[in-house]
Amino acid sequence: DLLFKSLTFSFAPQVFAMVLPMKKLVSRVTSGKAKGQYRKIDYGRVVTIKGKQYDHTIIKAAQIAVKGAGDGRISEADAKMICKAIRPTEDGKSTYDKREKDTMVYVRENFNFTPAGDKAVRAFLAKMGAKQAARTKAMKSPAMKATKAMKAMKAMKAMKATKAAGAMKTMKVMKAMKASKVMKSMKGQ
């Protein structure tokens, strides 16, 4: 029993030493009084490299991914951080535009991926592309077109009602002005 406890205690530190902290994409203030403090990640920031603009967040995620202990390649776990930089939300509100595509070309050419990391990024982009295509197709469906037409009709009716209410208000003001003119002319007689 005593031998088992000593083996357990001697083995436990080795297990904990093997677990490395998770790399994380954060944004910090770089100058001024607030230097070093965290700030909200701006997914619209750009960085210019050799005269061409790239997405700052994706480049930063790739730099963080290859930094630290390891072989300098982007692993599957690190690829998830890059995927988050590409598409912060998976609900269709974030897009994958031309600048982000160019940035991924740059990252693929200038950073090394493990086979699993490369597969994870490619699978993520394929999945998000398929979802985007499904949303685009749904927006072009006859049912969606009919819904858009109904919304347009309701908007037109609302505008007409607003105009009518405005016209009624104008008529009331004009009647009041006319009545006041009549009153003034009656006082003058």
Side-chain angles (χ1 to χ4, degrees), residues 46-55 59 98-99 101-103 105-106 109:
V46 295
V47 62
T48 305
I49 302 172
K50 295 182 182 175
K52 191 166 183 183
Q53 289 190 335
Y54 297 105
D55 187 278
I59 298 288
K98 183 178 178 351
R99 180 177 293 143
K101 290 175 186 174
D102 292 343
T103 305
V105 169
Y106 176 83
E109 290 173 354

Side-chain angles (χ1 to χ4, degrees), residues 22 45 50 65 72 80 94 96 103 128-129 131 143 148 172:
M22 183 72 176
R45 286 177 70 183
K50 295 182 182 175
K80 289 179 183 176
S94 57
Y96 186 55
T103 305
M128 292 296 111
K131 284 184 176 182
K148 285 182 181 179
K172 286 181 182 178

Side-chain angles (χ1 to χ4, degrees), residues 148-160:
K148 285 182 181 179
M150 286 178 59
K151 285 182 180 178
M153 292 289 285
K154 285 182 181 178
M156 287 176 59
K157 285 181 181 178
M159 285 174 47
K160 285 181 182 178

Side-chain angles (χ1 to χ4, degrees), residues 16-76:
F16 291 118
M18 292 171 37
V19 178
L20 298 173
M22 183 72 176
K23 296 175 186 174
K24 193 172 183 182
L25 179 64
V26 295
S27 185
R28 295 179 189 257
V29 178
T30 56
S31 63
K33 286 184 178 180
K35 184 176 180 178
Q37 292 181 351
Y38 290 106
R39 68 172 169 203
K40 187 175 179 180
I41 295 174
D42 180 7
Y43 290 98
R45 286 177 70 183
V46 295
V47 62
T48 305
I49 302 172
K50 295 182 182 175
K52 191 166 183 183
Q53 289 190 335
Y54 297 105
D55 187 278
H56 177 268
T57 310
I58 297 172
I59 298 288
K60 191 72 173 170
Q63 289 171 346
I64 291 169
V66 297
K67 190 168 64 171
D71 58 0
R73 296 187 299 169
I74 298 172
S75 68
E76 186 176 4

